[in-house]
Amino acid sequence: PFRMNVVKEIERINTAEAELGMVGTSSWHDRYRDSAYLFVGGLDYGMSEGDVICVFSQYGEIVDCYMGREKDTGKSKGFCFLAYEDQRSTVLAVDNLNGIKLCGRTIRVDHVAKYRPPKEDEEEEEEEE
């Protein structure tokens, strides 16, 4: 229920801005202009990073994709964070993909103001050095 409320709220804000002709710095998207990261939630557990990249690459080149996975099993938790090469692609993805049905599930697509890589990835990178 909570995820659907967020999806509906993003749709409501986008519709209101379109009706008012708001663009550029007056848009709610503008507060995220310094981040090229998105949160994608509600994904089918069978989807891989490659599947997500295939869907989202229609709005720009993806340069990072982190899919939340269970530590023990490696199974997807149904969400991911991804980054575009060009931040403007995030606006297109949020406006066009938030609330769509993907593999029978309604997905949430939203901006991420300050993305921090997961701790386990940082620890793995330190071990490799």
Coordinates of all heavy atoms in Angstrom, one line a residue, residues 68-118:
G68 N 19.7 -4.8 -4.9 CA 19.7 -5.3 -3.5 C 19.5 -6.8 -3.6 O 18.6 -7.3 -4.2
R69 N 20.3 -7.5 -2.9 CA 20.3 -9.0 -2.9 C 20.4 -9.5 -1.4 O 21.1 -8.9 -0.6 CB 21.4 -9.6 -3.7 CG 21.2 -9.3 -5.2 CD 22.1 -10.1 -6.1 NE 21.8 -9.8 -7.5 CZ 20.9 -10.4 -8.2 NH1 20.0 -11.3 -7.6 NH2 20.7 -10.1 -9.5
E70 N 19.8 -10.6 -1.2 CA 20.0 -11.3 0.1 C 21.4 -11.8 0.2 O 22.0 -12.4 -0.7 CB 19.1 -12.5 0.2 CG 17.6 -12.2 0.1 CD 17.1 -11.5 1.4 OE1 17.7 -11.6 2.5 OE2 16.0 -10.9 1.3
K71 N 22.1 -11.5 1.4 CA 23.5 -11.9 1.5 C 23.7 -13.4 1.4 O 24.6 -13.9 0.8 CB 24.0 -11.4 2.9 CG 24.2 -10.0 3.0 CD 24.8 -9.6 4.3 CE 25.0 -8.1 4.4 NZ 25.6 -7.7 5.7
D72 N 22.8 -14.2 2.0 CA 23.0 -15.6 2.1 C 22.7 -16.3 0.8 O 23.4 -17.2 0.4 CB 22.1 -16.3 3.2 CG 22.4 -15.7 4.5 OD1 23.5 -15.2 4.7 OD2 21.5 -15.8 5.4
T73 N 21.6 -15.9 0.1 CA 21.2 -16.6 -1.1 C 21.5 -15.9 -2.4 O 21.5 -16.6 -3.5 CB 19.7 -16.8 -1.1 OG1 19.0 -15.6 -1.1 CG2 19.2 -17.6 0.2
G74 N 21.7 -14.6 -2.4 CA 22.0 -13.9 -3.6 C 20.7 -13.5 -4.3 O 20.8 -12.9 -5.4
K75 N 19.6 -13.9 -3.8 CA 18.3 -13.6 -4.4 C 18.0 -12.1 -4.3 O 18.3 -11.4 -3.3 CB 17.1 -14.4 -3.8 CG 17.2 -15.9 -4.1 CD 16.0 -16.6 -3.6 CE 16.2 -18.1 -3.9 NZ 15.0 -18.8 -3.4
S76 N 17.3 -11.6 -5.4 CA 16.9 -10.2 -5.4 C 16.0 -9.8 -4.3 O 15.1 -10.6 -3.9 CB 16.3 -9.9 -6.8 OG 15.7 -8.6 -6.8
K77 N 16.1 -8.6 -3.8 CA 15.2 -8.1 -2.8 C 14.1 -7.3 -3.5 O 13.2 -6.7 -2.8 CB 15.9 -7.2 -1.8 CG 16.8 -8.0 -0.9 CD 17.4 -7.0 0.1 CE 18.3 -7.7 1.1 NZ 18.9 -6.7 2.1
G78 N 14.1 -7.2 -4.8 CA 13.0 -6.5 -5.6 C 13.2 -5.0 -5.7 O 12.3 -4.2 -6.0
F79 N 14.5 -4.5 -5.5 CA 14.8 -3.1 -5.7 C 16.2 -2.9 -6.2 O 17.0 -3.8 -6.1 CB 14.6 -2.2 -4.4 CG 15.7 -2.5 -3.4 CD1 16.8 -1.7 -3.4 CD2 15.6 -3.5 -2.4 CE1 17.9 -1.9 -2.5 CE2 16.6 -3.7 -1.5 CZ 17.7 -2.9 -1.5
C80 N 16.4 -1.7 -6.8 CA 17.8 -1.4 -7.3 C 18.0 0.1 -7.3 O 17.0 0.8 -7.2 CB 18.1 -2.1 -8.6 SG 17.4 -1.2 -10.0
F81 N 19.2 0.5 -7.4 CA 19.6 1.8 -7.6 C 20.4 1.8 -8.9 O 21.2 1.0 -9.2 CB 20.6 2.3 -6.5 CG 19.9 2.5 -5.2 CD1 19.9 1.4 -4.3 CD2 19.2 3.6 -4.8 CE1 19.2 1.5 -3.0 CE2 18.6 3.7 -3.6 CZ 18.6 2.7 -2.7
L82 N 20.1 2.8 -9.8 CA 20.9 2.9 -11.0 C 21.2 4.4 -11.3 O 20.6 5.3 -10.8 CB 20.2 2.3 -12.2 CG 18.8 2.7 -12.6 CD1 18.9 3.9 -13.6 CD2 18.1 1.6 -13.2
A83 N 22.3 4.6 -12.0 CA 22.8 5.9 -12.3 C 22.9 6.1 -13.9 O 23.3 5.1 -14.5 CB 24.1 6.2 -11.7
Y84 N 22.5 7.2 -14.3 CA 22.6 7.6 -15.7 C 23.9 8.4 -15.9 O 24.3 9.1 -15.0 CB 21.4 8.4 -16.2 CG 20.2 7.5 -16.5 CD1 19.2 7.5 -15.6 CD2 20.1 6.8 -17.7 CE1 18.0 6.7 -15.8 CE2 18.9 6.1 -17.9 CZ 17.9 6.0 -17.0 OH 16.8 5.3 -17.3
E85 N 24.4 8.3 -17.1 CA 25.5 9.2 -17.5 C 25.1 10.7 -17.4 O 25.9 11.5 -17.0 CB 26.1 8.8 -18.9 CG 27.3 9.6 -19.3 CD 27.8 9.1 -20.7 OE1 27.0 9.0 -21.6 OE2 29.0 8.8 -20.7
D86 N 23.9 11.0 -17.9 CA 23.4 12.3 -18.0 C 22.2 12.4 -17.0 O 21.3 11.7 -17.1 CB 22.9 12.6 -19.4 CG 22.5 14.1 -19.6 OD1 22.1 14.7 -18.6 OD2 22.5 14.5 -20.8
Q87 N 22.3 13.3 -16.0 CA 21.3 13.5 -15.0 C 19.9 13.7 -15.6 O 18.9 13.3 -15.0 CB 21.7 14.6 -14.1 CG 20.7 14.8 -12.9 CD 19.5 15.6 -13.2 OE1 19.5 16.4 -14.1 NE2 18.5 15.3 -12.5
R88 N 19.8 14.4 -16.7 CA 18.5 14.7 -17.3 C 17.7 13.4 -17.7 O 16.5 13.4 -17.7 CB 18.7 15.6 -18.6 CG 19.3 16.9 -18.2 CD 19.6 17.7 -19.5 NE 20.7 17.1 -20.2 CZ 21.2 17.5 -21.3 NH1 20.8 18.6 -21.9 NH2 22.2 16.8 -21.9
S89 N 18.5 12.3 -17.9 CA 17.8 11.0 -18.1 C 16.9 10.6 -16.9 O 15.9 9.9 -17.1 CB 18.8 10.0 -18.5 OG 19.5 10.3 -19.7
T90 N 17.3 11.0 -15.7 CA 16.6 10.6 -14.6 C 15.1 11.2 -14.6 O 14.2 10.5 -14.2 CB 17.2 11.0 -13.2 OG1 17.3 12.4 -13.1 CG2 18.6 10.4 -13.1
V91 N 15.0 12.4 -15.1 CA 13.7 13.0 -15.2 C 12.8 12.2 -16.2 O 11.6 11.9 -15.9 CB 13.8 14.5 -15.6 CG1 12.4 15.1 -15.8 CG2 14.6 15.3 -14.6
L92 N 13.4 11.9 -17.3 CA 12.6 11.1 -18.3 C 12.2 9.7 -17.7 O 11.1 9.3 -17.9 CB 13.5 10.9 -19.6 CG 13.8 12.1 -20.4 CD1 14.8 11.8 -21.5 CD2 12.5 12.7 -21.0
A93 N 13.1 9.1 -17.0 CA 12.8 7.8 -16.5 C 11.7 7.9 -15.4 O 10.8 7.1 -15.4 CB 14.0 7.1 -15.9
V94 N 11.8 8.8 -14.5 CA 10.8 9.0 -13.4 C 9.4 9.3 -14.1 O 8.4 8.7 -13.7 CB 11.2 10.1 -12.4 CG1 10.0 10.4 -11.5 CG2 12.4 9.6 -11.6
D95 N 9.4 10.2 -15.0 CA 8.1 10.6 -15.6 C 7.5 9.5 -16.4 O 6.3 9.4 -16.5 CB 8.3 11.9 -16.5 CG 8.5 13.1 -15.7 OD1 8.3 13.1 -14.4 OD2 8.8 14.2 -16.3
N96 N 8.3 8.7 -17.1 CA 7.8 7.7 -18.0 C 7.7 6.3 -17.4 O 6.8 5.5 -17.9 CB 8.6 7.6 -19.3 CG 8.4 8.9 -20.1 OD1 7.4 9.1 -20.7 ND2 9.4 9.8 -20.1
L97 N 8.4 5.9 -16.4 CA 8.4 4.6 -15.9 C 7.8 4.4 -14.5 O 7.4 3.3 -14.2 CB 9.9 4.0 -15.9 CG 10.5 3.9 -17.3 CD1 12.0 3.4 -17.2 CD2 9.7 3.0 -18.2
N98 N 7.7 5.5 -13.8 CA 7.1 5.3 -12.4 C 5.6 4.9 -12.6 O 4.9 5.5 -13.4 CB 7.1 6.7 -11.7 CG 6.5 6.6 -10.3 OD1 6.9 5.8 -9.5 ND2 5.5 7.3 -10.1
G99 N 5.3 3.8 -11.9 CA 3.9 3.4 -12.0 C 3.5 2.4 -13.1 O 2.4 1.9 -13.1
I100 N 4.5 2.1 -13.9 CA 4.2 1.1 -15.0 C 4.2 -0.3 -14.4 O 4.7 -0.5 -13.4 CB 5.2 1.2 -16.2 CG1 6.6 0.7 -15.8 CG2 5.2 2.6 -16.8 CD1 7.4 0.3 -17.0
K101 N 3.5 -1.2 -15.2 CA 3.6 -2.6 -14.8 C 4.8 -3.2 -15.6 O 4.9 -3.1 -16.8 CB 2.3 -3.3 -15.2 CG 1.2 -2.9 -14.3 CD 0.5 -4.2 -13.8 CE -0.7 -3.8 -13.0 NZ -0.6 -4.3 -11.6
L102 N 5.6 -3.9 -14.8 CA 6.8 -4.6 -15.4 C 6.8 -6.0 -14.8 O 6.8 -6.2 -13.6 CB 8.1 -3.8 -15.0 CG 9.4 -4.3 -15.6 CD1 9.3 -4.1 -17.1 CD2 10.5 -3.4 -15.1
C103 N 6.7 -7.0 -15.7 CA 6.6 -8.4 -15.2 C 5.4 -8.6 -14.3 O 5.5 -9.3 -13.3 CB 7.9 -8.9 -14.6 SG 9.3 -8.9 -15.7
G104 N 4.3 -7.9 -14.5 CA 3.1 -8.0 -13.7 C 3.1 -7.2 -12.4 O 2.2 -7.4 -11.6
R105 N 4.1 -6.5 -12.2 CA 4.2 -5.7 -10.9 C 4.3 -4.2 -11.2 O 5.0 -3.8 -12.1 CB 5.4 -6.1 -10.1 CG 5.3 -7.6 -9.7 CD 6.5 -8.0 -8.8 NE 6.6 -7.1 -7.7 CZ 6.8 -7.5 -6.4 NH1 7.0 -8.7 -6.2 NH2 6.9 -6.6 -5.5
T106 N 3.7 -3.4 -10.4 CA 3.7 -1.9 -10.5 C 5.0 -1.5 -9.9 O 5.3 -1.8 -8.7 CB 2.6 -1.3 -9.8 OG1 1.3 -1.7 -10.4 CG2 2.6 0.3 -10.0
I107 N 5.9 -0.8 -10.6 CA 7.2 -0.4 -10.1 C 7.1 1.1 -9.7 O 6.4 1.9 -10.2 CB 8.3 -0.6 -11.1 CG1 8.2 0.2 -12.4 CG2 8.5 -2.1 -11.4 CD1 9.4 0.2 -13.2
R108 N 8.0 1.4 -8.7 CA 8.2 2.8 -8.3 C 9.5 3.2 -8.8 O 10.6 2.5 -8.6 CB 8.2 2.8 -6.8 CG 8.6 4.1 -6.2 CD 8.6 4.1 -4.7 NE 9.4 5.3 -4.2 CZ 9.9 5.4 -3.0 NH1 9.7 4.4 -2.1 NH2 10.5 6.5 -2.6
V109 N 9.6 4.4 -9.4 CA 10.8 5.0 -9.9 C 10.9 6.4 -9.3 O 10.0 7.2 -9.6 CB 10.9 5.0 -11.4 CG1 12.2 5.6 -11.9 CG2 10.6 3.6 -12.0
D110 N 12.0 6.7 -8.6 CA 12.1 8.0 -7.9 C 13.5 8.4 -7.9 O 14.5 7.6 -8.0 CB 11.5 7.9 -6.5 CG 11.1 9.2 -6.0 OD1 11.3 10.3 -6.6 OD2 10.6 9.2 -4.8
H111 N 13.7 9.7 -7.8 CA 15.1 10.3 -7.7 C 15.7 9.9 -6.3 O 15.0 9.6 -5.4 CB 15.0 11.8 -7.7 CG 14.5 12.4 -9.0 ND1 15.3 12.5 -10.1 CD2 13.2 12.8 -9.4 CE1 14.5 13.0 -11.1 NE2 13.3 13.2 -10.7
V112 N 17.0 9.9 -6.3 CA 17.8 9.7 -5.1 C 18.7 10.9 -5.0 O 19.5 11.2 -5.8 CB 18.7 8.4 -5.2 CG1 19.5 8.3 -3.9 CG2 17.8 7.2 -5.3
A113 N 18.5 11.7 -3.9 CA 19.3 12.9 -3.7 C 20.7 12.6 -3.4 O 21.6 13.2 -4.0 CB 18.7 13.7 -2.5
K114 N 21.0 11.7 -2.5 CA 22.4 11.5 -2.1 C 22.6 10.0 -2.0 O 22.5 9.4 -1.0 CB 22.7 12.1 -0.8 CG 22.7 13.6 -0.9 CD 23.0 14.3 0.4 CE 22.9 15.8 0.2 NZ 23.0 16.5 1.5
Y115 N 23.1 9.4 -3.1 CA 23.3 7.9 -3.1 C 24.6 7.6 -2.4 O 25.6 8.3 -2.6 CB 23.4 7.4 -4.6 CG 23.7 6.0 -4.7 CD1 22.7 5.0 -4.4 CD2 25.0 5.6 -5.1 CE1 23.0 3.7 -4.5 CE2 25.3 4.2 -5.2 CZ 24.3 3.3 -4.9 OH 24.6 1.9 -5.0
R116 N 24.5 6.6 -1.6 CA 25.7 6.0 -0.9 C 25.8 4.6 -1.3 O 24.9 3.8 -1.1 CB 25.6 6.2 0.6 CG 25.7 7.6 1.0 CD 25.8 7.7 2.6 NE 25.0 6.6 3.2 CZ 23.8 6.8 3.9 NH1 23.4 8.1 4.0 NH2 23.2 5.9 4.4
P117 N 27.0 4.1 -1.8 CA 27.1 2.7 -2.1 C 27.0 1.8 -0.9 O 27.3 2.2 0.2 CB 28.6 2.6 -2.7 CG 29.1 4.0 -2.8 CD 28.2 4.9 -2.1
P118 N 26.4 0.6 -1.1 CA 26.2 -0.3 0.0 C 27.6 -0.6 0.7 O 28.6 -0.7 0.0 CB 25.6 -1.5 -0.6 CG 25.1 -1.1 -1.9 CD 25.9 0.1 -2.3

